[in-house]
């Protein structure tokens, strides 16, 4: 099987909670009070955005909205991986 709990959640509990916080902040900023969801139509440049946030992290770890750039890097990496897996099943 796939050890999602023991091989991911148990390894990175703080990071995954932070990515979920990042997701909520992004949703609140971009979706005007709508229920938490991934609006794929609003951004398709995961790798460009990921790289930009990684560069910005090297200058200042915190983005202007109070969210760590590395949280955004992780969110974008997961989004890119999800799309890649969907497209290559």
């Amino acid at each position: 099987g796939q050890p999602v709990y023991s091989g991911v959640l148990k390894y990175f509990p703080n990071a995954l909670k932070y990515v979920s916080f990042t997701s909520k902040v992004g949703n609140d900023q971009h979706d005007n009070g709508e229920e938490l969801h991934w609006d794929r139509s609003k951004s398709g440049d995961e790798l460009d955005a990921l790289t930009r946030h990684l560069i910005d992290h090297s200058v200042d770890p915190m983005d202007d909205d109070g969210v760590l750039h590395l949280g955004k890097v992780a969110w974008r990496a997961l989004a890119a991986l999800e799309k890649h897996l969907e497209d290559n099943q």
Side-chain angles (χ1 to χ4, degrees):
Q2 297 174 334
V4 176
Y5 173 73
S6 61
V8 178
L9 295 179
K10 284 182 70 176
Y11 287 178
F12 310 112
N14 296 312
L16 292 170
K17 284 190 278 186
Y18 198 86
V19 171
S20 71
F21 165 73
T22 301
S23 185
K24 174 82 169 82
V25 170
N27 188 81
D28 292 349
Q29 286 176 345
H30 300 294
D31 290 318
N32 301 321
E34 293 180 34
E35 184 177 327
L36 185 62
H37 69 289
W38 181 8
D39 187 348
R40 294 179 180 216
S41 69
K42 291 194 175 175
S43 180
D45 64 339
E46 280 80 22
L47 298 178
D48 286 330
L50 180 159
T51 304
R52 180 178 54 79
H53 283 295
L54 192 55
I55 291 168
D56 290 348
H57 166 78
S58 72
V59 175
D60 182 352
M62 191 66 67
D63 202 346
D64 295 339
D65 60 1
V67 177
L68 290 169
H69 285 291
L70 287 179
K72 296 178 179 189
V73 167
W75 194 96
R76 293 294 189 154
L78 289 169
L81 178 59
E82 184 69 25
K83 287 181 176 181
H84 177 81
L85 293 172
E86 289 174 356
D87 293 344
N88 292 284
Q89 289 184 2

